[in-house]
Amino acid sequence: MAFALPVWFLAQQELLSSEDDCSGIFDDFDDEALFDFFHLNRPCISFIADTLRERIAPLSERDLSADAMVMVTLNYLAHGVSSPAVLQRARLSHEDNPSVICAVCAALADMCEQFVSFPLSAESRENLALKTERLCGIPGVLGVLAPVHFKIRASPYEKDTFRSFVNSVGFTSVVSQLICDYDGNVLSVEQCCGGSAFEQDLWESSCKGKEMEGGVHGSYWVLGGSGYFQSKHVLTPVSEPKNEREVFFNRAHARIYNVMQATLSSMRRRFRCLLQLGFVHDSSLEKKFNIIKACVVLHNISKKFSVPPPAVAGKPELLQTGKLPSRLVTVDQEAWSIRKKLIDSKFAEPFSPN
């Protein structure tokens, strides 16, 4: 990941020197309770609290400290509800809790540029592509692109708005566009709109999509599923493979694409608020997007601190199989030709990782 060096230098210091140092309000929890309540470990929480403290201190009111605001927010993100024991320790009422969570999530969302970063230098892109190729055998891949749906509730009485939230599977959701690397670090999070949106439209209107298709990041790929058009920078699977080479390519594509599924499974286990974001209307999309971005920031931080997610409970929620927009589109013959040359040159045999 292309994270700001000073930020991760500080994180490394925390890893080496703060194993037992998580001063303040979190001292009331032993290590086991800390993970149960927040799904993070002590050094990781200490780093998060230190990073947020100055940002949210001006927002703290009455006797509620910045650390208490962080505590109740991390607890809510971990469970989707606030634990009475945590609210009691923070001396916070249920009525005041939503505004505190909203403020801290907004502060975390503002930290996206520090902790959610696409590889910007030629060297970092080359290194990332080489590591990805070792995993799947496909050269020139920077990450995996996917539309991610988060369940919400919407009023059926507002018919037009309600329909905009109903996705292709039939439940109401908001959708965001994520790109992750081969190791499950999130490189980009954009968009937050009703679940009926097509992923191709999300890609074309996103900043990262415009950058990639405009050649800003060189001649690299991101891997996309069947809901995207094949282009010079989005590499899709072959819809109807006609020979062994195309079958081998699809297997390699699925191998790296599954990293996104594993990443989302890990995020939803750690941040159970993402399993149901609650009631949504058009004017509240920004608040929901702040929660999504906050969880992405915390996910990347937790990976840096090597904090495992909670154990799997039930079946993981699968990525939705997208559908292409019904509008007519001109097939990019050059992009298809590039993919064919890639398949013919690299997948005469099935890929075997080193």
Side-chain angles (χ1 to χ4, degrees):
M1 285 181 292
F3 288 48
L5 183 60
V7 170
W8 287 128
F9 181 74
L10 175 59
Q12 189 66 25
Q13 284 184 317
E14 292 287 344
L15 278 168
L16 295 174
S17 63
S18 299
E19 287 297 322
D20 297 314
D21 178 23
C22 188
S23 60
I25 197 167
F26 292 99
D27 284 342
D28 293 339
F29 301 91
D30 62 29
D31 289 347
E32 183 177 355
L34 206 66
F35 188 82
D36 287 344
F37 278 112
F38 310 108
H39 296 166
L40 299 166
N41 65 14
R42 195 172 298 276
C44 185
I45 291 174
S46 181
F47 174 74
I48 294 165
D50 288 345
T51 305
L52 281 170
R53 195 171 290 120
E54 289 187 6
R55 291 174 178 265
I56 62 175
L59 305 175
S60 59
E61 300 177 358
R62 302 186 305 277
D63 296 328
L64 188 65
S65 66
D67 283 6
M69 294 175 68
V70 172
M71 182 175 72
V72 296
T73 302
L74 293 182
N75 175 243
Y76 169 78
L77 296 178
H79 295 277
V81 294
S82 295
S83 304
V86 170
L87 291 178
Q88 184 177 3
R89 291 181 191 228
R91 298 179 182 178
L92 185 66
S93 69
H94 282 282
E95 291 75 17
D96 294 331
N97 195 33
S99 62
V100 169
I101 293 170
C102 184
V104 177
C105 283
L108 283 165
D110 286 342
M111 292 161 55
C112 262
E113 289 188 5
Q114 291 175 268
F115 295 98
V116 184
S117 179
F118 210 70
L120 298 179
S121 70
E123 182 181 4
S124 62
R125 287 192 290 266
E126 183 179 359
N127 288 338
L128 182 56
L130 287 173
K131 291 177 181 178
T132 307
E133 186 176 0
R134 293 192 193 108
L135 176 66
C136 66
I138 304 175
V141 174
L142 296 181
V144 183
L145 167 70
V148 184
H149 287 261
F150 302 97
K151 291 181 179 179
I152 56 97
R153 293 190 295 273
S155 172
Y157 300 106
E158 300 174 5
K159 292 183 179 180
D160 291 340
T161 302
F162 183 81
R163 281 194 292 266
S164 73
F165 289 114
V166 178
N167 58 38
S168 60
V169 179
F171 63 84
T172 51
S173 68
V174 293
V175 59
S176 291
Q177 175 183 283
L178 265 68
I179 301 174
C180 75
D181 69 11
Y182 71 98
D183 195 37
N185 301 292
V186 179
L187 305 177
S188 172
V189 53
E190 289 191 72
Q191 313 275 30
C192 184
C193 53
S196 64
F198 292 100
E199 46 258 56
Q200 181 65 29
D201 293 337
L202 293 177
W203 173 247
E204 292 177 358
S205 62
S206 70
C207 292
K208 205 56 62 187
K210 292 174 182 176
E211 289 174 4
M212 289 287 293
E213 300 296 355
V216 172
H217 299 285
S219 57
Y220 290 95
W221 308 96
V222 288
L223 265 67
S226 59
Y228 294 97
F229 298 135
Q230 172 66 32
S231 75
K232 294 174 186 176
H233 297 281
V234 177
L235 188 60
T236 61
V238 178
S239 57
E240 296 179 1
K242 297 179 175 61
N243 53 56
E244 279 193 335
R245 281 182 170 84
E246 292 180 347
V247 171
F248 296 154
F249 167 75
N250 277 5
R251 289 176 184 170
H253 188 286
R255 181 181 180 88
I256 183 65
Y257 193 72
N258 285 342
V259 171
M260 178 63 82
Q261 177 60 61
T263 300
L264 295 176
S265 175
S266 175
M267 284 181 59
R268 286 183 167 120
R269 281 152 52 199
R270 191 185 306 280
F271 307 112
R272 291 175 184 162
C273 65
L274 297 178
L275 297 175
Q276 173 53 256
L277 287 177
F279 188 81
V280 174
H281 46 79
D282 287 339
S283 62
S284 67
L285 282 175
E286 182 179 357
K287 292 180 180 179
K288 300 305 179 184
F289 192 31
N290 280 344
I291 292 176
I292 294 167
K293 288 192 289 186
C295 291
V296 167
V297 167
L298 294 173
H299 165 80
N300 280 357
I301 292 174
S302 68
K303 283 189 65 65
K304 186 65 178 179
F305 281 83
S306 301
V307 187
V312 177
K315 294 182 179 179
E317 187 173 331
L318 300 177
L319 279 172
Q320 278 190 224
T321 302
K323 60 179 182 178
L324 292 170
S326 57
R327 59 184 167 85
L328 294 175
V329 63
T330 302
V331 175
D332 189 335
Q333 295 291 351
E334 184 180 356
W336 283 55
S337 176
I338 292 172
R339 185 180 68 176
K340 185 178 186 305
K341 289 178 181 178
L342 168 67
I343 293 172
D344 290 343
S345 63
K346 292 289 184 177
F347 292 96
E349 299 178 352
F351 170 73
S352 297
N354 296 332

